[in-house]
Amino acid sequence: MKEETQDGSFKRELGLLDGTMLVVGSMIGSGIFIVSADIARNVGSAGWLILIWVLTGVITVIAAVSYGELSAMFPKAGGQYVYLKEAYNKLIAFLYGWSLFAVIQTGTIAAVGVAFSKFAAYLFEPFSENNILWQSGDFKLHAAQLVSIVTIVLLTYINSRGVKNGKLLQTFLTIIKIMSLLGLIVFGFMLGAKTEIWNANWTDVWTPRSFSPETLQWSAIGGSALLSGIAAAMVGSVFSADAWTGVTFIAGEIKNPQRNVGLSLFLGTFIVSVIYILANLMYLAVLPLDSITTAKSDRVAVVAAQYIFGNAGTIIIAVMIMISTFACNNGLIMAGARVYYTMAKDGLFFKRAANLNRFDVPEWALWIQGLWASALCLTGRYGDLLDFVVIIVLIFYILTIYGIFILRRKMPDAERPYRAFGYPVLPLFYILTATALCILLLIYKTSTCGWGVLIMLIGIPVYYLTKQKD
């Protein structure tokens, strides 16, 4: 069948290390350096801050090991899109692919690109978003947007020249990124940690509070206010721990995918979760909680690095984030195009996206993704897009993991080289936790998350219009 041989001309050039580095590199962008400020403002104590990161890590690893069963069953390009199609139908799979192209992957690429340029401006001021190059009415073209677009175009070009180029860049930069983050954590504990700050931060450790940036005052919270705070806090942590599914998109180019995709998912998400928790413990050892909540532009890592390294700290963090975001976007750009390729094979995306170039990569899909991500850079609305992204991502994670239950009934005799760890308890725990978070987001962040759901649902008429052209 054509469906089974769709990856026939892909080259399987990625090993376990490459897959793991793709997961780690795609997950760690700029979030861990920034979002802890917003989390601390919403929940207000060291205990709650760490609990949010631990819970995020636990549900991320549970989701990743659950995906291992699906990745072993369907070791093809397209990953999560394929799983949804097999468990449900083409419409559900299309809504995922539509959301991925419209907002999830491209919006994230745009945001990560702009984060790169913002920190590049620390080293070279003309790259700043304050450097307005052209203005017409309300539209402003600033240097940071151009820098982000240049990085997207460069990485798209590198990946269009073959998967080997992208994998070498990804593995090299991600190893540097991991070592840099671990170095920051170790030096933070060795050089910057102060016993009095640590002890003060762990006083009243389970007393939830909310911080007002306007009044600079704390207020005690409980009940619905605490639920609202947890929901708002987890937007940042969940987004920072997202993008691990990219290795499933590129399964058609991974050696021994039945084993290596699932193992890459577990190792990658576990490594990142541990690093994120350690980084936040380091922040609490170096900075008073008030310094975390009031960090300028939420750049907690910059403030921590200044405590640890003095004035050189800003430059150290700027270089770290530039490496981190560059590697993150390389992984996102490499992986995303494989989903559009698979959709095009099903007649649900631009026909040309179904072609591989002479380097055996979906070049046209790479460039259409790059163009749309660049356009999103120019809108200046990428911050809002990321709020939209989280609820869509969670909805499809829930559907995909529930798909394991469906496929156990639908295909009881199918070969399963790997079975979801802790089934059915752990997958069910993820589904219930993520569903509760989605409900909280819709209740307490209706304005942004409601738009996210709407963007997803707009895909329904688009799907039927597309089908009419088949």
Side-chain angles (χ1 to χ4, degrees):
M1 288 172 61
K2 183 180 179 184
E3 183 73 16
E4 294 302 313
T5 59
Q6 67 164 344
D7 303 334
S9 51
F10 274 128
K11 289 183 178 176
R12 294 197 181 273
E13 295 190 356
L14 305 176
L16 177 61
L17 175 64
D18 303 313
T20 304
M21 291 302 100
L22 178 63
V23 175
V24 174
S26 300
M27 287 177 74
I28 305 175
S30 59
I32 187 56
F33 302 97
I34 297 170
V35 300
S36 293
D38 188 58
I39 294 172
R41 284 194 296 269
N42 280 296
V43 292
S45 76
W48 281 99
L49 172 66
I50 298 301
L51 180 64
I52 293 291
W53 283 107
V54 169
L55 180 60
T56 300
V58 167
I59 64 172
T60 301
V61 173
I62 288 173
V65 296
S66 297
Y67 271 50
E69 175 168 326
L70 299 169
S71 69
M73 287 179 72
F74 309 109
K76 319 173 180 181
Q80 189 168 350
Y81 166 83
V82 175
Y83 312 156
L84 289 165
K85 184 177 70 173
E86 296 288 349
Y88 300 93
N89 51 51
K90 276 191 174 184
L91 171 60
I92 299 296
F94 173 81
L95 290 180
Y96 173 70
W98 158 264
S99 302
L100 196 80
F101 181 76
V103 179
I104 297 172
Q105 202 81 353
T106 49
T108 305
I109 290 168
V112 171
V114 172
F116 173 91
S117 59
K118 281 183 178 179
F119 283 91
Y122 269 116
L123 307 181
F124 189 63
E125 182 60 30
F127 286 164
S128 168
E129 57 190 0
N130 297 322
N131 182 11
I132 307 297
L133 304 175
W134 184 69
Q135 183 170 357
S136 176
D138 291 334
F139 177 78
K140 294 178 182 178
L141 177 66
H142 52 71
Q145 290 170 316
L146 277 190
V147 171
S148 61
I149 290 170
V150 167
T151 63
I152 291 168
V153 170
L154 174 62
L155 287 169
T156 300
Y157 174 77
I158 290 170
N159 280 282
S160 72
R161 300 295 92 183
V163 73
K164 187 175 286 187
N165 294 330
K167 93 167 183 183
L168 290 173
L169 182 65
Q170 186 70 20
T171 300
F172 175 69
L173 290 178
T174 302
I175 289 172
I176 292 176
K177 184 195 302 196
I178 292 170
M179 299 310 294
S180 301
L181 262 168
L182 289 176
L184 178 66
I185 291 164
V186 170
F187 279 114
F189 281 118
M190 288 175 58
L191 303 178
K194 291 182 173 59
T195 305
E196 61 272 22
I197 289 175
W198 176 263
N199 290 339
N201 283 338
W202 289 93
T203 302
D204 297 325
V205 63
W206 297 115
T207 303
R209 300 177 297 166
S210 175
F211 184 82
S212 168
E214 289 77 28
T215 64
L216 302 181
Q217 297 293 316
W218 289 99
S219 56
I221 56 172
S224 63
L226 175 58
L227 291 175
S228 171
I230 291 170
M234 288 197 71
V235 167
S237 63
V238 168
F239 186 79
S240 298
D242 191 34
W244 49 268
T245 51
V247 73
T248 72
F249 302 164
I250 206 164
E253 289 142 286
I254 289 185
K255 301 168 188 173
N256 190 8
Q258 288 89 344
R259 170 185 179 269
N260 287 338
V261 174
L263 203 47
S264 295
L265 285 167
F266 168 69
L267 292 172
T269 53
F270 182 75
I271 289 167
V272 172
S273 298
V274 170
I275 289 174
Y276 280 4
I277 293 165
L278 289 175
N280 279 276
L281 288 170
M282 183 273 289
Y283 293 154
L284 291 168
V286 173
L287 300 173
L289 199 62
D290 283 0
S291 296
I292 294 174
T293 56
T294 58
K296 185 179 179 183
S297 301
D298 286 354
R299 292 173 184 138
V300 181
V302 172
V303 179
Q306 287 171 331
Y307 271 67
I308 300 164
F309 302 111
N311 291 333
T314 302
I315 294 172
I316 291 169
I317 289 296
V319 172
M320 280 181 63
I321 294 181
M322 286 173 67
I323 293 170
S324 182
T325 49
F326 200 74
C328 179
N329 256 356
N330 183 63
L332 292 170
I333 287 167
M334 182 197 299
R338 274 65 180 177
V339 178
Y340 319 134
Y341 163 86
T342 309
M343 291 175 69
K345 285 281 188 186
D346 288 342
L348 296 175
F349 199 71
F350 299 106
K351 191 178 291 185
R352 290 185 64 185
N355 299 326
L356 301 181
N357 67 6
R358 62 193 176 93
F359 300 103
D360 299 311
V361 294
E363 182 176 10
W364 201 88
L366 280 162
W367 282 112
I368 194 75
Q369 172 185 257
L371 285 170
W372 182 238
S374 298
L376 293 178
C377 287
L378 295 175
T379 65
R381 304 296 293 176
Y382 36 82
D384 292 341
L385 286 171
L386 296 194
D387 267 355
F388 302 163
V389 163
V390 170
I391 193 159
I392 308 175
V393 165
L394 284 171
I395 287 169
F396 283 111
Y397 283 166
I398 292 164
L399 287 173
T400 306
I401 291 174
Y402 185 65
I404 297 170
F405 292 81
I406 293 174
L407 289 168
R408 289 270 182 117
R409 294 194 305 270
K410 194 172 172 183
M411 302 179 182
D413 301 322
E415 187 181 347
R416 288 175 171 82
Y418 168 83
R419 288 178 176 263
F421 180 75
Y423 178 91
V425 177
L426 291 184
L428 194 59
F429 174 77
Y430 180 89
I431 290 168
L432 293 174
T433 305
T435 301
L437 182 55
C438 284
I439 292 168
L440 290 176
L441 289 172
L442 284 171
I443 293 171
Y444 297 112
K445 289 185 75 92
T446 312
S447 57
T448 49
C449 291
W451 279 107
V453 174
L454 181 62
I455 289 169
M456 179 183 70
L457 294 178
I458 287 171
I460 295 174
V462 173
Y463 171 77
Y464 285 107
L465 287 170
T466 305
K467 278 187 70 68
Q468 288 173 6
K469 296 174 184 177
D470 288 350

